[in-house]
Amino acid sequence: SEWNTLTFWLASVYAHAPRAPLILAATHCDMIPSAQFQAACNSLDAILERVLALVPGVGMQLVHNAAGRLCFFPVDNTRKTRPETVVALRRALDEAVRTVLQAEKELPVEWVLTLRRLLEVASERTQLRLPLVLTLEESLEVAATQGVS
């Protein structure tokens, strides 16, 4: 099915980091007309719940979008509508990082520096009114500048 890649990815995350928080973000939600937004989110939520059920254990890692009552965070890439979902996503990420930092005795300083730089980039992008979404390449570049390979 078209969800095989996601199922494989979720299984890989669980296999390599079974205690790590898992946050799913659905990007480009700005492409969904407002009148159909909630129905589309509910439909995707039901599909994702079925996919999550295929990977035992991964559901315990998942950070739910309590505000949206969804198993994912819908993100508007234009930031023109529904900015509250980005705020909810940021809060979930902050809480997940705090949880991990409290659980770990030692954390490589490069990781902490990378997180700090990513937060700085987010702040800069917010001030410039740019989307808060980084490409994988941009994220890897930030990590590399902090010594994470």
Side-chain angles (χ1 to χ4, degrees), residues 7-148:
T7 305
F8 173 80
W9 181 79
L10 292 170
S12 295
V13 169
Y14 183 72
H16 295 286
R19 292 180 298 180
L22 176 65
I23 298 175
L24 299 176
T27 59
H28 300 285
C29 288
D30 48 287
M31 306 296 286
I32 302 169
S34 292
Q36 299 169 357
F37 182 77
Q38 194 58 51
C41 284
N42 292 341
S43 177
L44 179 57
D45 188 68
I47 292 168
L48 289 173
E49 290 288 356
R50 286 194 299 272
V51 170
L52 289 163
L54 297 174
V55 185
V58 78
M60 294 184 64
Q61 292 177 264
L62 189 66
V63 176
H64 282 79
N65 176 357
R69 296 184 179 166
L70 301 166
C71 69
F72 68 98
F73 292 81
V75 177
D76 176 342
N77 289 46
T78 66
R79 286 188 40 171
K80 292 181 181 171
T81 59
R82 296 181 279 282
E84 67 279 0
T85 58
V86 173
V87 171
L89 176 57
R90 268 187 157 170
R91 285 187 183 136
L93 288 166
D94 287 345
E95 182 60 32
V97 169
R98 274 193 217 97
T99 300
V100 169
L101 290 176
Q102 290 172 356
E104 295 291 327
K105 300 269 188 243
E106 294 180 29
L107 191 67
V109 70
E110 295 85 1
W111 293 9
V112 176
L113 293 173
T114 299
L115 174 60
R116 182 177 296 154
R117 181 64 190 131
L118 286 170
L119 292 172
E120 289 170 358
V121 168
S123 178
E124 292 164 5
R125 292 178 77 97
T126 299
Q127 290 172 1
L128 295 171
R129 297 188 172 274
L130 295 172
L132 289 176
V133 179
L134 291 178
T135 65
L136 176 59
E137 291 78 19
E138 290 170 321
S139 300
L140 292 173
E141 183 179 318
V142 168
T145 64
Q146 303 304 320
V148 177

